[in-house]
Amino acid sequence: MAGEPAKYVTESIKEKALSLGFDLVGIARSRRLLEYENIFTEWRLAGMNGNMNYLQKNTDARFDPSILLPGTRTVIVTGLNYYTDIIQEQNDVPLISRYAFGNDYHFIIKNKLNELLLYIKSIFPDARGKAFCDSSAILEKAWAVEAGLGWQGKNSLVINESFGSFFFIGILLLDIDLDYDEPFHEDKCGSCSLCIDHCPVRAINKNRTVDARKCISSLTIEKKEPLIREEVQKFNRRVFGCDICQEVCPWNKNIKSHNHPELYISDVLRKMKKNEWLTLDRQKYEKLFRHTPVARVRFEIFKKNIETVLSNPA
Ligand code: SF4
Ligand code: SF4
């Protein structure tokens, strides 16, 4: 597909994505991402995937979308802003990452991507597509760069010039051709190293990867056993995720808060006091977190982590 009609159809698909609530959309030509293979393999062989054993599987498919959807020609990449100024109010409570305040983004994004696919099928009835969100099967950050959404910062996250890095990436593979965006070629981190300098556990490597064995975000989410005292010394009350390397990033200053009500923090979570955290029971945990990403951590482990993190607040 080439020329004016392709441009017109592509624009209408992008408009549809924005009308579904996505904040960003870019379109890349599918290819095998050869240049990422070595860096990923080195990272994994060094054990830096930590508890994420699933990253050892399907390694070939990760670099080649056509293994995930035979005949893939196009990778649509969407961004959904989750930045918010409305956060937990108390300054002595366990901290939850912004992305986990509201409903689980996996479902929100997949639903929107599937709606987008239906729209595309209304134009190309024979088109086939497959949606991914936060899936280990595909290199989402690399595709966001390919689709021109931004560059991969030194903290490993994709940074967009308007939205910063607090956005979820969604991927829709298609077996049809569209009009493609240019990959983002610049590195706008420059000489900055604030994320590396401020990471309390020194988890950020020089090659824009993160050591999951040290990273607070990985440990608080992926570890299947409760955290131990020695591990949480530098967690500074973080009990689910960590936003430090994003909060210090100059590209995240003065960014717009999202307007997705399903991602808002609840009033109860926003106001929750330390004693309420310490007496959290299963019923309240389920009421507060059942529909959020926090539900990935079992209640028993989450409860123990709260106690451990609060007894080592610095
Ligand atoms: S999320 Fe936190 S612990 Fe992980 S790399 Fe960023 S600052 Fe370090
Ligand atoms: S803090 Fe600085 S080095 Fe790190 S991602 Fe942001 S701009 Fe890049």
Side-chain angles (χ1 to χ4, degrees), residues 56-236:
Q56 288 168 7
K57 296 180 197 148
N58 302 327
T59 47
D60 218 28
R62 190 163 293 119
F63 306 107
D64 187 353
S66 69
I67 296 177
L68 298 166
L69 175 78
T72 298
R73 309 279 304 170
T74 293
V75 183
I76 298 187
V77 186
T78 58
L80 192 83
N81 181 14
Y82 67 85
Y83 180 76
T84 176
D85 283 332
I86 306 169
I87 56 176
Q88 292 166 269
E89 286 177 355
Q90 309 297 320
N91 57 15
D92 59 353
V93 294
L95 295 175
I96 306 286
S97 261
R98 281 177 176 79
Y99 82 84
F101 284 164
N103 287 357
D104 195 326
Y105 59 96
H106 296 92
F107 303 112
I108 297 171
I109 290 170
K110 272 205 165 177
N111 286 343
K112 288 186 194 297
L113 290 173
N114 284 327
E115 274 194 61
L116 185 61
L117 180 57
L118 279 181
Y119 175 75
I120 294 167
K121 276 175 170 286
S122 74
I123 308 170
F124 304 101
D126 296 332
R128 288 181 313 129
K130 198 165 182 182
F132 296 85
C133 175
D134 200 11
S135 160
S136 63
I138 192 155
L139 292 182
E140 293 168 326
K141 291 186 263 188
W143 283 112
V145 177
E146 285 286 299
L149 296 196
W151 72 102
Q152 201 166 353
K154 289 180 190 170
N155 60 4
S156 95
L157 300 169
V158 178
I159 305 175
N160 175 271
E161 287 172 289
S162 306
F163 284 91
S165 63
F166 287 95
F167 64 91
F168 299 118
I169 299 174
I171 301 278
L172 181 61
L173 303 183
L174 293 173
D175 67 350
I176 54 166
D177 284 316
L178 291 174
D179 200 47
Y180 299 113
D181 290 299
E182 278 293 307
F184 199 96
H185 290 299
E186 276 180 276
D187 172 10
K188 295 206 160 198
C189 283
S191 58
C192 174
S193 61
L194 284 171
C195 52
I196 297 171
D197 303 340
H198 282 80
C199 173
V201 290
R202 314 299 285 170
I204 302 176
N205 301 314
K206 287 211 170 88
N207 63 358
R208 301 183 193 225
T209 61
V210 169
D211 188 340
R213 295 167 302 185
K214 298 182 191 167
C215 175
I216 298 168
S217 193
S218 301
L219 285 171
T220 52
I221 298 165
E222 303 288 346
K223 195 157 180 253
K224 301 290 175 250
E225 309 86 44
L227 296 162
I228 54 171
R229 203 183 162 85
E230 292 70 34
E231 279 175 317
V232 304
Q233 301 293 330
K234 295 180 178 160
F235 277 27
N236 206 359

